[in-house]
Amino acid sequence: MPDLPPDASAAPPVADPDTWVDAYGDYLYRYALMRLRDPDAARDAVQETFLAAIKRYDQFDGRVDIKFWLRGILRFKVVDHIRASVRDQVVTPIEDTEILDSLLFRASGIPTMRPSPWEFNPQEAFDRAEFWPIFEECLDRLKEPIRQAFVLKMVEDLESDEVCKVLGITPNHLWVLNHRARTQLKKCLESKWQRK
Amino acid sequence: MLTCKQVSNALARKDYAAMSPLERLGLRIHIALCAVCGRYNRQVMIMQDAARAFRRRENAQIESSGACLSCCDKDAIKNAIRQRR
């Protein structure tokens, strides 16, 4: 038996693109669709992910499941797609400048001292599996770029500076978008979760 | 002692769960006691809890979702990969 180089046994098996697409295509597509909402963009992001993965396969060290390695690449592709879609979007002026200009906001960084309380106990709802499809549905109803801001900041957990760069907005504008996302999500969740 | 503005800005920048224990403690004390920003920032923290829980659950959510690529899309992707190799 010929002597194998020491790292040969540790090397991951050669990528077989057919098995990749069948094994992980749908998973990656759903991940992308949740973030991009546009089926065509989601499909493109998945294809770009596989192509990048083939190119970078020698960097895959097998320490994580290949599914999560691919998902890690997809994350960047999703952000690229959001960045590109924002370039085509008409920039909406901030409508909430009155909040930003208010004395309260400038002094304390909040728009109101008395936000309406939650109509249900949110922490209890978070523990229920039935709550999350509703959460996703409500997230889906947010208009762009409010939804994009929430997805990048809160779901993808990107730094604020990074989100501002991707969306091409100022920190104040990001704050307004996130404020609107919180308000609208809460309202939607209350109307849908109550009826359960 | 932290000001409301510092607390609000810190929460706008990052998830409170990702802060250091000391930062988190200062934040929690301020929010528990503050009549000005306490209520609002508590709701900001609740939404951060929601987003974190959503991230945790997302895998299960994705597995149970019905959305999938069509056969045509899959074939197109496979072809694109083959051409690139």
Side-chain angles (χ1 to χ4, degrees):
Chain A
M1 214 173 122
D3 275 340
L4 292 168
D7 60 344
S9 58
V14 175
D16 179 354
D18 284 19
T19 63
W20 269 12
V21 175
D22 289 329
Y24 311 115
D26 286 337
Y27 172 83
L28 296 173
Y29 176 68
R30 288 168 191 163
Y31 180 93
L33 191 60
M34 188 265 133
R35 284 152 178 74
L36 297 170
R37 201 157 56 176
D38 170 8
D40 292 340
R43 190 199 53 217
D44 290 349
V46 171
Q47 175 163 325
E48 289 156 18
T49 298
F50 284 127
L51 295 179
I54 297 280
K55 218 195 278 178
R56 263 189 258 168
Y57 195 50
D58 53 340
Q59 289 168 29
F60 177 63
D61 56 10
R63 267 188 300 190
V64 290
D65 195 305
I66 189 135
K67 178 160 126 179
F68 298 116
W69 182 67
L70 291 168
R71 196 183 70 185
I73 299 173
L74 177 59
R75 243 184 123 214
F76 289 99
K77 301 296 173 194
V78 162
V79 173
D80 286 345
H81 270 267
I82 292 179
R83 189 184 289 115
S85 76
V86 167
R87 242 182 277 134
D88 304 333
Q89 259 169 32
V90 184
V91 181
T92 45
I94 309 179
E95 292 156 27
D96 297 61
T97 40
E98 68 272 26
I99 294 182
L100 296 173
D101 291 340
S102 75
L103 204 59
L104 179 65
F105 183 83
R106 280 191 290 170
S108 57
I110 59 163
T112 167
M113 284 170 65
R114 300 188 169 273
S116 56
W118 281 76
E119 287 174 18
F120 59 88
N121 182 330
Q123 306 291 359
E124 272 173 24
F126 298 165
D127 288 335
R128 308 264 297 270
E130 319 88 272
F131 178 77
W132 296 102
I134 295 176
F135 185 87
E136 202 174 330
E137 198 185 321
C138 287
L139 190 52
D140 242 21
R141 289 187 175 209
L142 298 178
K143 287 207 172 70
E144 311 289 28
I146 297 174
R147 193 193 65 91
Q148 289 164 326
F150 190 87
V151 164
L152 291 174
K153 179 83 173 58
M154 306 294 280
V155 180
E156 279 302 335
D157 204 19
L158 291 187
E159 298 279 333
S160 296
D161 298 352
E162 185 71 18
V163 178
C164 287
K165 262 190 245 163
V166 171
L167 297 179
I169 58 177
T170 63
N172 267 350
H173 193 173
L174 178 62
W175 183 88
V176 169
L177 293 179
N178 278 320
H179 168 68
R180 286 198 206 157
R182 278 193 296 267
T183 313
Q184 291 172 20
L185 265 178
K186 176 167 168 283
K187 206 170 157 195
C188 175
L189 292 171
E190 281 173 343
S191 74
K192 294 193 173 287
W193 186 245
Q194 292 294 61
R195 273 190 248 121
K196 279 263 152 182
Chain B
M1 197 61 195
L2 293 169
T3 65
C4 286
K5 185 115 188 171
Q6 286 172 318
V7 169
S8 306
N9 286 349
L11 283 174
R13 255 197 326 275
K14 81 197 228 193
D15 181 352
Y16 76 90
M19 295 178 191
S20 73
L22 199 66
E23 283 177 306
R24 222 161 37 220
L25 183 69
L27 206 82
R28 280 196 182 281
I29 291 173
H30 182 108
I31 285 171
L33 300 176
C34 183
V36 179
C37 73
R39 283 192 192 193
Y40 185 84
N41 279 330
R42 212 168 294 138
Q43 292 205 358
V44 173
M45 290 165 90
I46 288 172
M47 215 36 108
Q48 292 184 348
D49 289 336
R52 215 177 314 114
F54 180 73
R55 289 201 292 273
R56 264 205 312 272
R57 296 212 173 227
E58 200 192 6
N59 250 316
Q61 189 80 14
I62 286 178
E63 304 287 2
S64 68
S65 145
C68 51
L69 288 164
S70 71
C71 295
C72 298
D73 284 341
K74 282 186 184 163
D75 287 342
I77 294 175
K78 286 176 194 175
N79 278 332
I81 294 171
R82 272 193 217 104
Q83 279 168 16
R84 206 55 81 84
R85 290 177 91 199

